[in-house]
């Protein structure tokens, strides 16, 4: 069962535009919501992460918006650049004594056109 | 050092071979993970080690055998794999569990691209 649902599956944005990717989750025990960027042949790289006690977090051109009541969170990429073209995964995790396994969304393939 | 290092980067093995994937981190993280990623799919959790003890095994076939020799190293031993096991194998590490709110420093390596022929 997919614990984190991500949309859209693919996205094309013009250079300078805003890229928006959305995720939703069901398990209210999740307490950590990271976004990862992955280029072909590379491992996922942490972009930005948020905890549920915060509604928004901004780092440079990347912003996470978090809606706890709706169990949704989104990634906004401002002033999108061709170098941002990659696959983006949202994830949700819950700390436990057994470790901190992440549940990933299915990914969004972003293409930023010149 | 803020990296997770995986070796080899690429591996081609026959179905009767035995090989090992290696992962190393020197960030003092006490939780380490193996994930499997197929093309255009998200990473899927295979194993979790917490304080060098196996804490989660996500029903992974026995032809995959993890090992955590010490707090910095994680191995994945491979034997009698099938062509469908071809994938990118990712190692990750994070800060100690059960320590309260942190960003957990959850870091992935670049992975080993495994091809089973």
């Amino acid at each position: 069962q997919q614990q984190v649902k991500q949309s859209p599956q693919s996205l094309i944005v013009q250079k300078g535009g805003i890229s928006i990717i959305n995720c939703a989750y069901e398990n209210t025990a999740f307490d950590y919501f990271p976004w990862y960027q992955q280029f072909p042949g590379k491992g996922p790289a942490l972009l930005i992460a948020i905890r549920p006690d915060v509604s928004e977090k901004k780092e440079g051109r990347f912003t996470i918006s978090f809606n706890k009541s709706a169990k949704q969170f989104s990634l906004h990429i401002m002033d999108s650049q061709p170098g941002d073209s990659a696959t983006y995964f949202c994830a949700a995790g819950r700390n436990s004594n057994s470790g901190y396994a992440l549940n990933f969304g299915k990914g969004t393939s972003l293409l930023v056109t010149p | 050092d803020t990296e997770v290092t995986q070796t080899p980067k690429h591996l081609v093995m026959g179905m009767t071979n035995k090989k090992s994937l290696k992962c190393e981190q020197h960030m003092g993280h006490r939780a380490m993970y193996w994930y499997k990623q197929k093309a255009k799919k998200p990473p899927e959790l295979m194993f979790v080690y917490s304080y060098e003890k196996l804490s989660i095994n996500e029903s992974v076939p026995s032809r995959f055998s993890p090992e955590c020799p010490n707090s910095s190293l994680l191995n994945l031993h491979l034997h009698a794999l099938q062509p469908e096991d071809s994938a990118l194998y990712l190692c990750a590490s994070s800060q100690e569990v059960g320590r309260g709110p942190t960003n957990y420093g959850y870091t992935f390596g670049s992975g080993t691209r495994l091809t089973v022929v």
Side-chain angles (χ1 to χ4, degrees), chain B residues 10-20 63-64 77-86 113-117:
Chain B
H10 301 275
L11 178 61
V12 179
M13 61 184 291
M15 290 188 285
T16 58
N17 291 159
K18 286 185 180 181
K19 296 286 184 183
S20 296
R63 57 186 184 269
F64 295 91
H77 303 296
L78 314 173
H79 174 55
L81 294 193
Q82 303 297 310
E84 58 265 29
D85 296 321
S86 299
R113 174 73 59 189
L114 173 67
T115 303
V116 181
V117 297

Side-chain angles (χ1 to χ4, degrees), chain B residues 33-52:
Chain B
Y33 312 80
W34 281 113
Y35 283 81
K36 173 183 177 180
Q37 187 178 26
K38 302 283 272 185
K40 299 188 185 301
K41 298 291 186 183
E44 296 178 358
L45 182 68
M46 299 176 71
F47 301 105
V48 179
Y49 272 83
S50 177
Y51 292 90
E52 297 97 66

